[in-house]
mmCIF file of all heavy atoms in Angstrom:
data_model
loop_
_atom_site.group_PDB
_atom_site.id
_atom_site.type_symbol
_atom_site.label_atom_id
_atom_site.label_comp_id
_atom_site.label_asym_id
_atom_site.label_seq_id
_atom_site.Cartn_x
_atom_site.Cartn_y
_atom_site.Cartn_z
ATOM 1 N N PRO A 41 9.321 19.811 -17.451
ATOM 2 C CA PRO A 41 9.833 19.565 -16.094
ATOM 3 C C PRO A 41 10.875 20.598 -15.665
ATOM 4 O O PRO A 41 11.740 20.993 -16.443
ATOM 5 C CB PRO A 41 10.455 18.175 -16.199
ATOM 6 C CG PRO A 41 9.736 17.528 -17.344
ATOM 7 C CD PRO A 41 9.481 18.638 -18.328
ATOM 8 N N TYR A 42 10.772 21.018 -14.427
ATOM 9 C CA TYR A 42 11.775 21.878 -13.811
ATOM 10 C C TYR A 42 12.972 21.018 -13.430
ATOM 11 O O TYR A 42 12.841 19.815 -13.204
ATOM 12 C CB TYR A 42 11.216 22.530 -12.551
ATOM 13 C CG TYR A 42 10.223 23.639 -12.803
ATOM 14 C CD1 TYR A 42 9.009 23.386 -13.414
ATOM 15 C CD2 TYR A 42 10.499 24.945 -12.402
ATOM 16 C CE1 TYR A 42 8.094 24.397 -13.638
ATOM 17 C CE2 TYR A 42 9.586 25.972 -12.614
ATOM 18 C CZ TYR A 42 8.389 25.697 -13.228
ATOM 19 O OH TYR A 42 7.485 26.698 -13.449
ATOM 20 N N THR A 43 14.142 21.626 -13.332
ATOM 21 C CA THR A 43 15.335 20.900 -12.904
ATOM 22 C C THR A 43 15.907 21.533 -11.642
ATOM 23 O O THR A 43 15.847 22.748 -11.454
ATOM 24 C CB THR A 43 16.398 20.877 -14.014
ATOM 25 O OG1 THR A 43 16.684 22.208 -14.437
ATOM 26 C CG2 THR A 43 15.911 20.054 -15.202
ATOM 27 N N LEU A 44 16.473 20.704 -10.790
ATOM 28 C CA LEU A 44 16.911 21.109 -9.464
ATOM 29 C C LEU A 44 18.387 20.806 -9.276
ATOM 30 O O LEU A 44 18.861 19.738 -9.629
ATOM 31 C CB LEU A 44 16.101 20.336 -8.415
ATOM 32 C CG LEU A 44 16.356 20.635 -6.935
ATOM 33 C CD1 LEU A 44 15.840 22.020 -6.570
ATOM 34 C CD2 LEU A 44 15.676 19.577 -6.067
ATOM 35 N N THR A 45 19.120 21.743 -8.708
ATOM 36 C CA THR A 45 20.511 21.516 -8.317
ATOM 37 C C THR A 45 20.689 21.970 -6.876
ATOM 38 O O THR A 45 19.921 22.772 -6.355
ATOM 39 C CB THR A 45 21.501 22.278 -9.221
ATOM 40 O OG1 THR A 45 21.187 23.677 -9.186
ATOM 41 C CG2 THR A 45 21.426 21.785 -10.654
ATOM 42 N N GLY A 46 21.710 21.429 -6.236
ATOM 43 C CA GLY A 46 21.992 21.790 -4.861
ATOM 44 C C GLY A 46 21.200 20.986 -3.848
ATOM 45 O O GLY A 46 21.510 21.003 -2.656
ATOM 46 N N CYS A 47 20.173 20.303 -4.298
ATOM 47 C CA CYS A 47 19.339 19.470 -3.433
ATOM 48 C C CYS A 47 18.984 18.182 -4.165
ATOM 49 O O CYS A 47 19.071 18.112 -5.390
ATOM 50 C CB CYS A 47 18.040 20.203 -3.049
ATOM 51 S SG CYS A 47 18.284 21.570 -1.913
ATOM 52 N N ASN A 48 18.530 17.214 -3.403
ATOM 53 C CA ASN A 48 18.146 15.925 -3.963
ATOM 54 C C ASN A 48 16.650 15.728 -3.744
ATOM 55 O O ASN A 48 16.202 15.561 -2.609
ATOM 56 C CB ASN A 48 18.948 14.808 -3.291
ATOM 57 C CG ASN A 48 18.569 13.427 -3.815
ATOM 58 O OD1 ASN A 48 17.825 13.303 -4.782
ATOM 59 N ND2 ASN A 48 19.091 12.399 -3.168
ATOM 60 N N GLN A 49 15.882 15.729 -4.807
ATOM 61 C CA GLN A 49 14.429 15.590 -4.692
ATOM 62 C C GLN A 49 14.027 14.247 -4.069
ATOM 63 O O GLN A 49 12.952 14.131 -3.497
ATOM 64 C CB GLN A 49 13.776 15.740 -6.081
ATOM 65 C CG GLN A 49 12.257 15.776 -6.085
ATOM 66 C CD GLN A 49 11.684 17.086 -5.570
ATOM 67 O OE1 GLN A 49 12.400 17.927 -5.051
ATOM 68 N NE2 GLN A 49 10.373 17.251 -5.710
ATOM 69 N N LEU A 50 14.913 13.248 -4.164
ATOM 70 C CA LEU A 50 14.610 11.954 -3.551
ATOM 71 C C LEU A 50 14.578 12.063 -2.027
ATOM 72 O O LEU A 50 13.863 11.318 -1.366
ATOM 73 C CB LEU A 50 15.631 10.906 -3.986
ATOM 74 C CG LEU A 50 15.648 10.557 -5.482
ATOM 75 C CD1 LEU A 50 16.673 9.461 -5.739
ATOM 76 C CD2 LEU A 50 14.283 10.134 -5.972
ATOM 77 N N ASP A 51 15.348 12.985 -1.484
ATOM 78 C CA ASP A 51 15.320 13.259 -0.044
ATOM 79 C C ASP A 51 14.269 14.344 0.193
ATOM 80 O O ASP A 51 14.562 15.415 0.701
ATOM 81 C CB ASP A 51 16.703 13.705 0.431
ATOM 82 C CG ASP A 51 16.761 13.925 1.943
ATOM 83 O OD1 ASP A 51 15.838 13.479 2.648
ATOM 84 O OD2 ASP A 51 17.716 14.576 2.399
#
Side-chain angles (χ1 to χ4, degrees):
Y42 286 64
T43 54
L44 182 70
T45 57
C47 289
N48 179 8
Q49 187 74 351
L50 296 182
D51 183 15

